[in-house]
Amino acid sequence: MSLNRSEKQAVIDEVTALAAKAQTLVMAEYRGIAVADMTKLRASARSQGVDLSVLKNTLARRAVTGSSFEVASGQMTGPLIYGFSVDAVAAAKVVADFAKTNDKLVIRGGVYGGKALDVNGVKTLANIPTKEVLLAQLCGLLQSPISRTAGVLAALAKKKEEGAAAAAA
C-alpha cells in the first residue's frame, strides 16, 4: 500500500524526532525472518529502549538528512530494519544478540557519534558493557584499595594483640 504525501511527511517527522534524540543507529537486513521472530526482536528492543522500525529507504534518507546519521545514507539499500537508541550501545546490543540466534538477520552497518560503522564496528559496540555494569566495575575498582588497607590494618592489630598476649604470659 502506497502512502500519500501527508503520511510520508508524518513518517519523516517521526523518524527525524527519533534521530534527534538518539545516539546510535543500527541497520540490519531482515529478509526471510518469520513474523514470530520479528515480534520477539521488537519486544526485546522495546524493553531496552530501542526504537525499531521498518522504513522505506527514501523516507529514512530524508529523515536523517542534516543529522549525525546522514553518513549512513549510502548504506540504506534493500529491506532494512532501523534501530535508534538513546543509550549508546542498546541498539547494537539488541540487534547483535538477535543476529547470534537468527542467521537470517544480517547486520548491514550503523552510526555512532557521527561516524559510520561497518558490521564489525556494530559488533564491537554491542560488546561494550552497559552503563550500569561499567559503574559497578568502577565502584569495585575504587573500593579495592580501601578494603585492602582495612585488611592489612586488621592483620597488624591481630599480630600486635598476639605479641602482647605472648609477652604477658
Side-chain angles (χ1 to χ4, degrees), residues 66-123:
S67 73
S68 62
F69 301 118
E70 190 172 7
V71 296
S73 293
Q75 297 176 333
M76 295 179 179
T77 58
L80 296 178
I81 190 164
Y82 296 88
F84 290 94
S85 67
V86 176
D87 181 359
V89 298
K93 191 173 288 297
V94 166
V95 174
D97 288 347
F98 186 79
K100 288 177 188 174
T101 60
N102 192 323
D103 61 341
K104 293 188 181 193
L105 185 75
V106 179
I107 299 171
R108 293 280 298 275
V111 178
Y112 174 70
K115 295 183 181 171
L117 302 173
D118 62 353
V119 177
N120 293 329
V122 172
K123 288 180 180 176

Side-chain angles (χ1 to χ4, degrees), residues 1 19-20 41 44 48 52 59 67 75 97 102 132 153 162 164:
M1 182 177 141
L41 174 60
S44 172
Q48 300 206 18
L52 279 181
L59 297 180
S67 73
Q75 297 176 333
D97 288 347
N102 192 323
E132 291 79 19
L153 291 175
E162 289 173 358

Side-chain angles (χ1 to χ4, degrees), residues 1-84:
M1 182 177 141
S2 166
L3 300 174
N4 66 31
R5 188 176 183 89
S6 63
E7 291 171 330
K8 288 179 183 177
Q9 189 58 46
V11 169
I12 291 171
D13 292 342
E14 182 181 338
V15 175
T16 301
L18 282 175
K21 53 186 181 168
Q23 286 189 44
T24 307
L25 164 66
V26 176
M27 299 171 293
E29 193 171 318
Y30 63 92
R31 206 176 296 196
I33 297 178
V35 174
D37 291 337
M38 244 349 214
T39 304
K40 288 178 189 173
L41 174 60
R42 288 177 189 271
S44 172
R46 237 186 331 270
S47 70
Q48 300 206 18
V50 177
D51 292 302
L52 279 181
S53 304
V54 174
L55 303 167
K56 287 187 163 222
N57 294 323
T58 54
L59 297 180
R61 276 189 219 103
R62 287 185 188 156
V64 299
T65 299
S67 73
S68 62
F69 301 118
E70 190 172 7
V71 296
S73 293
Q75 297 176 333
M76 295 179 179
T77 58
L80 296 178
I81 190 164
Y82 296 88
F84 290 94

